[in-house]
Amino acid sequence: MQNWQKDRNYRKRENPDGSFAYIVTIDGVDVEVSEAVYRAYSQADRRERYLDERDAGILLSLDRMDEDGVPSFLSDRHSPSAENTAMREMLIGQAVTALMSLEPDERALIEALIIDGVTERDYAAQIGLSQQAVNKRRKKILEKLKKLVVKT
């Protein structure tokens, strides 16, 4: 048993029939509570212990290091390489160029479906077409974009 377990004022006890009794000690008196109350009590206790450990400097977290202004020695794991950044910028540029070369109605469809998250059914209702027609147009436009991006 760990040290914190000796000092806690709640415990779970197995009854002879295999069920559990949940006990919380309040002012020296053991009180049987429901499982939900026991869980809430134990979670609050664990949160309090976590905060105490964090404030005592026992826990090491990247968020805490960032808050404290400690330079991260793990930056290579968390930041993209120069090559990846350059490749990403190049692809974004190609995608923007390809999008700008689309017809206005094609660009509107892609913006609505992909950027704005409108469903095909809703977009079809907006422009007066069937969902299947919108789906077919979306596929053709995406194929066109793919060719434009690969070509450049």
Side-chain angles (χ1 to χ4, degrees), residues 4 8 17 28 88 138:
W4 67 268
R8 70 182 181 182
D17 66 353
R88 182 173 181 267
R138 179 186 61 86

Side-chain angles (χ1 to χ4, degrees), residues 90-108:
M90 184 179 75
L91 288 173
I92 289 172
Q94 289 176 345
V96 168
T97 302
L99 280 171
M100 296 312 289
S101 70
L102 293 176
E103 297 296 323
D105 62 325
E106 293 174 329
R107 190 170 42 250

Side-chain angles (χ1 to χ4, degrees), residues 105-127 131 133-139 141-142:
D105 62 325
E106 293 174 329
R107 190 170 42 250
L109 185 142
I110 292 301
E111 286 177 2
L113 298 181
I114 296 177
I115 297 170
D116 298 335
V118 176
T119 65
E120 288 180 358
R121 182 176 297 164
D122 290 342
Y123 189 72
Q126 287 175 14
I127 63 170
Q131 181 269 327
V134 169
N135 181 277
K136 186 182 257 187
R137 284 184 180 187
R138 179 186 61 86
K139 286 180 182 178
I141 295 167
L142 289 177

Side-chain angles (χ1 to χ4, degrees), residues 50-105:
Y50 166 79
L51 293 173
D52 288 344
E53 291 169 356
R54 185 191 70 183
D55 292 342
I58 296 171
L59 295 176
L60 178 66
S61 75
L62 292 175
D63 289 336
R64 179 65 186 254
M65 290 172 63
D66 189 42
E67 288 171 8
D68 294 343
V70 176
S72 176
F73 54 88
L74 301 173
S75 60
D76 62 328
R77 267 185 32 187
H78 298 288
S79 61
S81 68
E83 294 86 4
N84 287 344
T85 302
M87 182 66 80
R88 182 173 181 267
E89 293 297 322
M90 184 179 75
L91 288 173
I92 289 172
Q94 289 176 345
V96 168
T97 302
L99 280 171
M100 296 312 289
S101 70
L102 293 176
E103 297 296 323
D105 62 325

